[in-house]
């Protein structure tokens, strides 16, 4: 006989530490620069904003549950079969649906130590066991991942590039990982920052999805396209995986404004290029200047950088976070990612980038007692 007097969540649900998003506020600061969630400083395309507005007069209508227009626009843009694209309420939605479809009690899901937090949550929520593979120099290590794959491994999540480290693995390594996985293990390539990467040896994974039965690539409109508020993500997957996702996804998981704005954002290639160019200019600028202050910066191919601090009172990441916050510079504390001595800073506007470098210079001086 049970003694419970109220509904009880499954144990696996209570094992989850809820995701805590980056802060948005800096109490007391005159102006706030939000550099905590890898949002684009350029905002969305004006065409996407106009498309969003066009929905206001039809709020009584359900959206197209198949998001046909958006899938076709994505297919056109990336040269993919729209039938093999599944859209999600942000790519988080898809990362969860993949675990829900393929992972159950007794199964395992693998991701890397400083990998995106949603993977652990999605695996646990499905009743599976999360398995962490250690990284090398804050970078996914294919051999370490493979060493943790067993007959119970149903899913492997790889953020490429990874958040919060900003590192990536070359496509040759992704292919080596895939080649050594059992055909029954699903490899999920999360390319949320794929559009930012400027490396000849990088690929978001389209070719691998097209040529195999167990690879899925996920993408998002939240980062370079600047539509985080609308929640638009998509997956490119084998048809049998699309079939599974369609069975369990919310029937209207994309709202009409998200569909319209997503289509318009895809059409504005000039805006996309401007965002990529801004990033290409400022990542090295900020990284070099912060490194010159004596802080280790992990080389990043994304739109954010990981800055490392000494674990000393007055000089620590916690102290730096407080110091920056007092100046309205809101960055991401990444303790939950196993990085208590680092802060993640999103590349912002020129003004924000300069202010962070100035602030860290002052912080370093103060910490040195000068
Ligand atoms: C931001 C991010 C996502 C995307 O999230 P959305 O749900 O699409 O907003 C996915 N993966 C990683 C690694 C991210 O950093």
């Amino acid at each position: 006989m049970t003694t419970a007097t109220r509904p009880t969540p499954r144990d696996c649900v209570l094992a989850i530490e809820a995701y805590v998003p980056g802060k948005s506020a800096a109490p007391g600061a005159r102006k706030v620069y939000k550099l905590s969630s890898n949002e684009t400083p350029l905002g969305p395309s004006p065409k996407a904003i106009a498309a969003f507005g066009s929905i206001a007069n039809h709020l009584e209508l359900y959206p197209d549950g198949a998001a046909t227009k958006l899938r076709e626009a994505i297919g056109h843009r990336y040269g993919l079969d729209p039938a093999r694209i599944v859209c999600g309420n942000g790519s988080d939605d898809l990362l969860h649906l993949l675990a829900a479809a393929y992972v159950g009690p007794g199964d395992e899901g693998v991701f890397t130590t400083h990998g995106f937090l949603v993977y652990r949550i999605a695996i646990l929520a499905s009743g599976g066991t999360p398995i962490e593979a250690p990284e090398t120099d804050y970078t996914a290590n294919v051999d370490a991942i493979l060493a943790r794959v067993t007959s119970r491994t149903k899913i492997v999540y790889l953020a490429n590039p990874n958040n919060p480290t900003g590192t990536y693995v070359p496509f040759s390594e992704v292919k080596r990982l895939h080649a050594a996985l059992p055909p029954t293990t699903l490899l999920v390539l999360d390319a949320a920052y794929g559009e930012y990467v400027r490396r000849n040896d990088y690929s978001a994974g389209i070719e691998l999805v097209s040529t195999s039965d167990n690879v899925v690539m996920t993408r998002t409109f939240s980062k370079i396209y600047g539509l985080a508020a609308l929640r638009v993500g998509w997956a490119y997957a084998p048809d049998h995986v699309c079939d599974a996702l369609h069975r369990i996804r919310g029937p209207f998981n994309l709202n009409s404004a998200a569909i319209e704005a997503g289509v318009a954002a895809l059409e504005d290639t000039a805006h996309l290029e401007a965002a990529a160019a801004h990033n290409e200019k400022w990542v090295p600028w900020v990284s070099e200047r912060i490194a010159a202050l004596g802080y280790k910066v992990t080389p990043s191919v994304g739109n954010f950088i990981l800055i490392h601090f000494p674990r000393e009172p007055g000089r620590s990441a916690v102290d730096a976070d407080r110091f920056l916050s007092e100046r309205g510079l809101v960055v991401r504390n990444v303790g939950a990612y196993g990085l208590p001595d680092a802060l993640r800073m999103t590349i912002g506007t020129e003004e924000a980038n300069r202010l962070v470098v100035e602030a860290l210079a002052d912080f370093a001086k103060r910490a040195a007692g000068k």
Side-chain angles (χ1 to χ4, degrees):
M1 261 271 296
T2 170
T3 54
T5 57
R6 57 181 194 183
T8 319
R10 292 177 295 143
D11 288 344
C12 65
V13 172
L14 297 177
I16 294 172
E17 295 243 23
Y19 183 91
V20 181
K23 291 176 283 151
S24 307
R30 261 184 306 122
K31 181 169 171 188
V32 176
Y33 302 85
K34 186 167 187 273
L35 307 172
S36 56
S37 299
N38 298 344
E39 295 142 337
T40 170
L42 274 62
S45 157
K47 296 188 175 91
I49 298 172
F52 171 81
S54 73
I55 291 304
N57 294 327
H58 304 288
L59 295 183
E60 75 285 9
L61 299 178
Y62 272 97
D64 168 18
T68 309
K69 205 172 157 181
L70 180 58
R71 286 187 302 104
E72 284 176 354
I74 294 167
H76 181 70
R77 179 68 208 284
Y78 291 88
L80 306 175
D81 177 1
R84 291 181 55 181
I85 293 167
V86 180
C87 292
N89 188 242
S91 48
D92 286 353
D93 186 20
L94 296 159
L95 297 170
H96 273 275
L97 290 170
L98 288 164
Y102 292 97
V103 181
D107 297 334
E108 295 175 353
V110 178
F111 51 90
T112 67
T113 307
H114 306 301
F116 191 40
L117 284 178
V118 167
Y119 309 148
R120 170 189 294 280
I121 295 173
I123 294 162
L124 280 169
S126 300
T129 305
I131 306 287
E132 263 183 41
E135 299 180 2
T136 305
D137 290 335
Y138 304 103
T139 308
N141 177 324
V142 164
D143 295 306
I145 294 171
L146 288 172
R148 279 150 189 87
V149 170
T150 71
S151 58
R152 291 181 298 277
T153 310
K154 293 292 161 63
I155 202 164
V156 173
Y157 288 103
L158 180 70
N160 200 26
N162 184 48
N163 166 22
T165 54
T167 57
Y168 78 108
V169 287
F171 194 44
S172 57
E173 282 293 280
V174 176
K175 283 193 280 199
R176 188 164 74 82
L177 169 63
H178 173 251
L181 285 178
T184 50
T185 300
L186 189 67
L187 174 61
V188 180
L189 302 173
D190 176 352
Y193 303 94
E195 297 86 356
Y196 282 114
V197 186
R198 292 288 176 271
R199 292 288 189 284
N200 290 334
D201 60 355
Y202 173 78
S203 164
I206 286 176
E207 169 197 327
L208 206 53
V209 177
S210 300
T211 55
S212 44
D213 258 341
N214 63 335
V215 184
V216 174
M217 172 189 73
T218 60
R219 306 288 285 256
T220 183
F221 282 78
S222 299
K223 303 290 158 55
I224 202 164
Y225 289 107
L227 296 178
L230 287 181
R231 319 301 305 123
V232 198
W234 55 281
Y236 175 53
D239 49 10
H240 62 97
V241 175
C242 293
D243 175 71
L245 294 174
H246 284 308
R247 288 170 194 263
I248 58 170
R249 71 177 174 86
F252 303 101
N253 60 341
L254 255 78
N255 65 71
S256 305
I259 293 170
E260 294 299 326
V263 169
L266 280 174
E267 284 166 2
D268 195 347
T269 51
H271 189 77
L272 180 81
E273 280 159 25
H278 177 87
N279 199 59
E280 212 174 339
K281 170 176 177 185
W282 288 100
V283 169
W285 190 92
V286 175
S287 302
E288 284 158 24
R289 274 157 187 80
I290 293 177
L293 298 172
Y295 299 109
K296 222 183 133 255
V297 177
T298 302
S300 173
V301 297
N303 69 329
F304 53 90
I305 56 170
L306 191 66
I307 310 165
H308 303 266
F309 294 84
R311 190 176 287 187
E312 291 165 29
R315 303 181 64 199
S316 71
V318 174
D319 294 305
D321 192 12
R322 195 179 306 122
F323 190 89
L324 291 169
S325 179
E326 281 164 9
R327 297 189 178 191
L329 300 162
V330 181
V331 298
R332 183 73 145 104
N333 152 337
V334 282
Y337 285 91
L339 297 163
D341 299 319
L343 295 174
R344 188 194 69 198
M345 169 204 169
T346 305
I347 296 303
T349 57
E350 169 168 1
E351 182 191 11
N353 297 336
R354 290 186 185 277
L355 286 173
V356 170
V357 170
E358 255 171 54
L360 284 177
D362 291 348
F363 176 73
K365 253 186 243 157
R366 200 190 68 162
K370 282 180 210 153

